[in-house]
Amino acid sequence: MAIETATPASIARAAKALADGELVAFPTETVYGLGADATNADAVARVYEVKGRPRFNPLIAHVSNREMADVHGEFDLTATALADAFWPGPLTVVLPRRGVSRICDLVSAGLDTIAVRVPSGEVAQDLLHAANCPIAAPSANRAGHVSPTTAQHVADDLGADVNIILDGGATAHGLESTVIDCSGPQPLLLRPGVISRTEIEGVLGRKLGKPLQNNQPASPGQLASHYAPNTKVRLNAHDVLPGEALLAFGKNTPETNGPCINLSPSGDLREAAIGFFSALRTLDTTGCETIAVMPIPDEGLGEAINDRLLRAAAPR
Ligand code: TXA
Ligand code: MG
């Protein structure tokens, strides 16, 4: 494994590695992805292996633009409106798969749908252009662990199993893309993410549905325990107990002598999202028994942060 600063030369090497069936971790505007050529089944299989990811949890295919997305998925009016509004950017749409797509079945984990996204991150875009293939990429962490927002996070989690880690600094948003299922009659919010429900409903002029828990196609990534640090997590904390670290938000934080990170002293949810995964990782290394987390408002980006927190706190 080598962490390489993203430059035209290292991006060209990374593109060659993808063509050779190797794995490349790269930054997007959301989190770092663990990328493989989506048309190479062996390489995609290695992504599942390296992550320790259950085979039933499908991957997102990253493409450089809408035209490339059209090759792989069928856009209806809803998907078109969302792509027009938010691409390139932190939005993933789940579409019926097109027969002509050469993306291997393993990417969709056997479903007849495909998740596609056009990232806006500059390194991701440069890599997609240089590689000239769809890149299947889950977040570049061990399955179930905290998502990586820096190249070092990737190295800590996956180390020697990745051929190249392109370093483009800390990611802009710090949280994953919003996943919308556009394959059925009503668009469904499969995963809250950087783009809020309100923004999406504003563009569509209608409410988003919720996937039924035991109904297909649910988003299999939405397992109860996920995004989890090794340390226990206690939510809605208004105080700090002995032996606890504090993940704070806003002004009125409880007193503590223990480790404490404030996601945003001014109460800004965007700032909180950017530092969120990194803060969980840092507090996870303090040796504390539990991470106490102050309440985060459940509006805008807060919905996505609270979604991750609930999973981080879920029984393992
Ligand atoms: O921001 C992001 O989306 C990052 C960056 C790297 O692009 N990627 C990411 O991938 O978070 P991953 O694999 O950690 O999460 C993908 C989510 C999972 O919840 C998965 O179940 C869902 O998308 N998904 C993928 N394909 C699907 C499909 N065909 N139907 C339903 N859900 C799907
Ligand atoms: Mg993930």
Side-chain angles (χ1 to χ4, degrees), residues 22-230:
E22 295 180 353
L23 304 190
V24 170
F26 63 98
T28 76
E29 73 278 22
T30 58
V31 299
Y32 275 69
L34 175 62
D37 172 355
T39 65
N40 180 333
D42 284 340
V44 173
R46 266 203 71 219
V47 169
Y48 282 95
E49 228 165 69
V50 162
K51 267 198 75 124
R53 182 165 180 137
R55 283 289 156 107
F56 52 74
N57 192 354
L59 310 178
I60 296 170
H62 297 70
V63 293
S64 44
N65 53 42
R66 168 64 200 275
E67 205 184 330
M68 297 296 299
D70 275 324
V71 175
H72 306 289
E74 269 167 46
F75 285 74
D76 64 0
L77 289 176
T78 302
T80 300
L82 292 178
D84 286 349
F86 299 114
W87 278 357
L91 172 85
T92 298
V93 287
V94 173
L95 307 171
R97 249 182 101 109
R98 295 192 60 204
V100 293
S101 172
R102 286 175 45 247
I103 290 179
C104 60
D105 289 337
L106 205 45
V107 172
S108 308
L111 300 174
D112 51 14
T113 54
I114 181 85
V116 284
R117 158 161 135 77
V118 176
S120 61
E122 204 182 318
V123 177
Q125 274 291 338
D126 290 351
L127 181 63
L128 281 164
H129 279 106
N132 196 27
C133 66
I135 300 178
S139 50
N141 51 281
R142 269 188 296 107
H145 193 220
V146 180
S147 297
T149 58
T150 67
Q152 190 57 48
H153 291 163
V154 180
D156 291 347
D157 257 36
L158 303 176
D161 290 330
V162 188
N163 299 90
I164 297 177
I165 300 174
L166 285 177
D167 187 350
T171 60
H173 296 296
L175 264 188
E176 293 89 345
S177 63
T178 306
V179 182
I180 306 290
D181 184 352
C182 298
S183 70
Q186 190 199 10
L188 307 176
L189 178 60
L190 294 186
R191 179 177 71 183
V194 172
I195 300 174
S196 72
R197 174 197 294 276
T198 322
E199 286 175 274
I200 289 172
E201 290 175 345
V203 165
L204 296 180
R206 64 190 289 197
K207 291 277 176 205
L208 286 170
K210 259 200 159 186
L212 298 172
Q213 279 302 324
N214 47 7
N215 195 29
Q216 289 294 338
S219 204
Q222 298 299 71
L223 300 170
S225 172
H226 206 97
Y227 306 103
N230 298 312

